[in-house]
Amino acid sequence: MESSSPEHTTQQPLLQPQHSNTNLETTSDLENTLSDDNLTWFGRISKATWIESKLLFCLAAPAVMVYMINAFMSLSTQIFSGHLGNLELAAASLGNTGIQVFAYGLMLGMGSAVETLCGQAFGAQKYDMLGVYLQRSAVLLTLTGFLLTLIYFFSKPILLILGESEEIATAAAVFVYGLIPQIFAYAVNFPIQKFLQAQSIVAPSAYISAATLVVHLVLSWVAVYKIGLGLLGASLVLSLSWWIAVVAQFVYIVKSEKCRLTWSGFSLQAFKGLPEFFKLSAASAVMLCLETWYFQILVLLAGLLDNPELALDSLSICMAIAGWVFMISVGFNAAASVRVGNELGAGHAKSAAFSVVLVTATSLILSVAAAIIVMYLRHVISYVFTDGEVVAEAVSDLCPLLAVTLILNGIQPVLSGVAVGCGWQGFVAYVNVGCYYGVGIPLGSLLGFYFKLGAKGIWSGMMGGTAMQTLILIWVTFRTDWEKEVEEARKRLDKWEDKKEPVLH
């Protein structure tokens, strides 16, 4: 498995951030509880569950809120567009899922490198490097953003080459043009989120996201219905909303007393070691992109079926719902990454292992509950997006597959978060390639096109790839030697102890 390597300077802060004292004491309590032979097994597990649940809730609840609100901003834009007509719904869905998710997956994946580095460095109390990691990641992602703009500019010919109809591709391209500013918001937002999450500072981002959502809904309503800017207006408002959230979070970092030791201003170190930092970022990006692009390909394949507008509408509604519920697991993904990274950095092997079990079980329970709700509302759930009865029937028919997907998504993203916390991105990338692109897509294409099962066939085959990947991650994670992982984290931290200039390896 490939590992990442946090760096730090030789001089360490004499003071700890105010908010970290309680966290460090609580994590020590967790390790002491799990090692206490005076307690029965049940007593240790009960007490440890209570301690870890408090830590997990403080991290996961705001993180879930942030990701769900961010996803709902895109979802609401899709809803506003859908009520303009079925063509507009298909265009916004294709633009969001076919093009925008490409950039989202790449940027979020590259930003996840900060998660590994900051998480382990913070656990080891190497606070001074967190701000450098944030800036270095933002620089790298911004440079990547300029390359991504080319895909946005040429979205129409790309969609046509992929076999989409002229009408849908033209409308989707108009929507995508308005999302170009959003690319650069991603480039700053994801490093900021990972920087704050590594320090267990998640509530401010949740409050900022909630306030931004209110502004977004009002501006979208005005732009689409009152001013009549249509698809372009909807996507431009979405880009603006992301920038509002980014600016607000950055102001918080600069002004907050909690970040006084982890943010010391802009540094030229942000431009050092970019090639090495890119290697880790690329591994993180490949791991996450192969996941986000996987279901993007599902929507693109649906556009090649007979009656593509109906297939796209029904499938994109299901994917929008799955994507929104998926944000619950993404929040737990972030919590798992922070908890595992912090515990490994602090040398707490038992705590890291226990955290993995508890966060996975919690996420799975919530996902099963979401699947039950979806099945109960299967006949009416599509009317949130469109008034079409034909689309409603098609969505209802796909809901059993949606429910199974939600359950699988309750496990897989959390285990990916564990991988990020440990620095296993490279290994998971190989697993994703084999399961998703070696099994899932070929099987889905075979069922959908050769056996004429349509969207259900494509989705069923690709779900098989997801199930295989999930089983592999379960097997690898629960066979992990956590004492060895602690040693690996310590070696990565000690490797740069005497170096004046940090260099990432």
Side-chain angles (χ1 to χ4, degrees):
M1 295 183 183
E2 294 185 12
S3 297
S4 58
S5 305
E7 51 183 323
H8 56 274
T9 56
T10 56
Q11 177 146 16
Q12 303 305 326
L14 298 177
L15 299 173
Q16 294 178 359
Q18 291 177 345
H19 66 281
S20 71
N21 293 335
T22 302
N23 283 346
L24 291 174
E25 290 172 3
T26 309
T27 55
S28 297
D29 289 345
L30 177 61
E31 187 72 10
N32 292 336
T33 298
L34 292 169
S35 304
D36 190 353
D37 293 331
N38 294 323
L39 295 173
T40 63
W41 178 87
F42 181 78
R44 287 198 302 271
I45 296 302
S46 299
K47 187 176 179 181
T49 299
W50 173 247
I51 295 172
E52 178 64 21
S53 294
K54 289 190 293 183
L55 287 167
L56 185 60
F57 178 80
C58 291
L59 274 172
V64 167
M65 181 178 174
V66 169
Y67 286 112
M68 291 190 75
I69 288 174
N70 289 345
F72 188 72
M73 284 201 297
S74 294
L75 184 61
S76 64
T77 299
Q78 205 166 311
I79 291 171
F80 278 115
S81 302
H83 285 285
L84 292 174
N86 284 347
L87 173 62
E88 286 79 2
L89 174 61
S93 301
L94 193 59
N96 254 333
T97 312
I99 301 294
Q100 181 255 8
V101 169
F102 178 88
Y104 183 92
L106 183 63
M107 291 295 199
L108 180 59
M110 293 183 72
S112 294
V114 181
E115 216 165 350
T116 301
L117 297 174
C118 286
Q120 293 187 2
F122 188 81
Q125 301 179 40
K126 311 299 183 182
Y127 304 121
D128 52 329
M129 285 309 299
L130 271 72
V132 175
Y133 290 139
L134 163 61
Q135 295 171 62
R136 191 170 296 171
S137 182
V139 169
L140 192 59
L141 266 65
T142 298
L143 294 175
T144 305
F146 285 107
L147 298 177
L148 287 174
T149 57
L150 296 176
I151 297 175
Y152 280 53
F153 276 123
F154 296 104
S155 56
K156 180 180 178 179
I158 290 173
L159 291 173
L160 290 174
I161 290 173
L162 292 174
E164 307 300 335
S165 69
E166 173 81 24
E167 188 179 25
I168 292 178
T170 301
V174 171
F175 182 83
V176 167
Y177 295 152
L179 296 179
I180 290 175
Q182 187 187 44
I183 300 173
F184 300 98
Y186 285 163
V188 184
N189 180 76
F190 294 134
I192 284 178
Q193 282 189 347
K194 304 306 179 185
F195 168 86
L196 291 172
Q197 286 169 4
Q199 304 171 66
S200 300
I201 304 174
V202 282
S205 293
Y207 299 143
I208 290 169
S209 296
T212 303
L213 176 61
V214 175
V215 174
H216 172 75
L217 293 174
V218 173
L219 291 179
S220 294
W221 178 75
V222 171
V224 175
Y225 299 132
K226 293 300 179 181
I227 303 179
L229 295 179
L231 284 173
L232 182 60
S235 57
L236 282 172
V237 168
L238 182 58
S239 294
L240 175 62
S241 298
W242 270 86
W243 270 110
I244 292 173
V246 168
V247 172
Q249 288 179 98
F250 182 70
V251 169
Y252 173 84
I253 290 173
V254 173
K255 298 294 185 181
S256 174
E257 185 69 15
K258 292 183 177 181
C259 299
R260 74 189 191 284
L261 295 180
T262 54
W263 176 265
S264 55
F266 294 100
S267 171
L268 291 176
Q269 280 189 309
F271 298 94
K272 294 181 180 179
L274 285 178
E276 292 83 1
F277 197 86
F278 174 75
K279 292 178 184 178
L280 176 62
S281 297
S284 300
V286 169
M287 184 194 81
L288 192 62
C289 286
L290 290 175
E291 295 177 13
T292 56
W293 296 347
Y294 186 53
F295 285 99
Q296 174 187 3
I297 291 172
L298 170 59
V299 175
L300 292 173
L301 287 175
L304 305 179
L305 294 169
D306 297 332
N307 195 357
E309 188 173 308
L310 176 62
L312 275 175
D313 284 348
S314 59
L315 200 54
S316 63
I317 288 173
C318 289
M319 287 297 99
I321 296 168
W324 193 57
V325 176
F326 182 72
M327 292 301 112
I328 297 175
S329 299
V330 171
F332 279 99
N333 169 295
S337 177
V338 172
R339 291 291 301 119
V340 172
N342 285 175
E343 296 295 355
L344 291 179
H348 298 159
K350 292 181 179 179
S351 296
F354 186 78
S355 179
V356 170
V357 174
L358 189 63
V359 70
T360 304
T362 304
S363 178
L364 177 60
I365 291 170
L366 292 175
S367 296
V368 170
I372 293 172
I373 293 172
V374 163
M375 288 302 296
Y376 180 75
L377 299 175
R378 60 185 295 187
H379 297 296
V380 298
I381 202 166
S382 70
Y383 290 112
V384 175
F385 298 85
T386 181
D387 298 325
E389 293 184 7
V390 176
V391 174
E393 292 178 6
V395 170
S396 177
D397 197 37
L398 291 174
C399 273
L401 292 176
L402 174 59
V404 176
T405 298
L406 294 181
I407 294 172
L408 287 174
N409 284 348
I411 305 172
Q412 180 270 332
V414 176
L415 297 182
S416 292
V418 174
V420 170
C422 295
W424 301 342
Q425 290 95 324
F427 168 76
V428 178
Y430 288 121
V431 172
N432 289 354
V433 168
C435 295
Y436 290 163
Y437 299 88
V439 177
I441 292 176
L443 181 60
S445 300
L446 185 68
L447 293 175
F449 295 100
Y450 183 79
F451 288 101
K452 306 294 184 183
L453 296 179
K456 292 179 69 175
I458 297 173
W459 196 349
S460 297
M462 295 179 72
M463 201 161 56
T466 304
M468 179 181 292
Q469 187 250 21
T470 302
L471 290 174
I472 292 174
L473 285 182
I474 291 173
W475 180 74
V476 170
T477 301
F478 289 97
R479 289 185 71 254
T480 296
D481 183 344
W482 293 102
E483 294 287 352
K484 182 179 178 181
E485 290 300 322
V486 166
E487 288 301 315
E488 290 298 316
R490 184 176 292 119
K491 289 177 183 177
R492 289 193 291 268
L493 290 167
D494 291 344
K495 190 173 183 179
W496 286 270
E497 188 68 42
D498 299 322
K499 293 191 177 183
K500 294 182 180 179
E501 288 189 8
V503 181
L504 183 64
H505 290 276

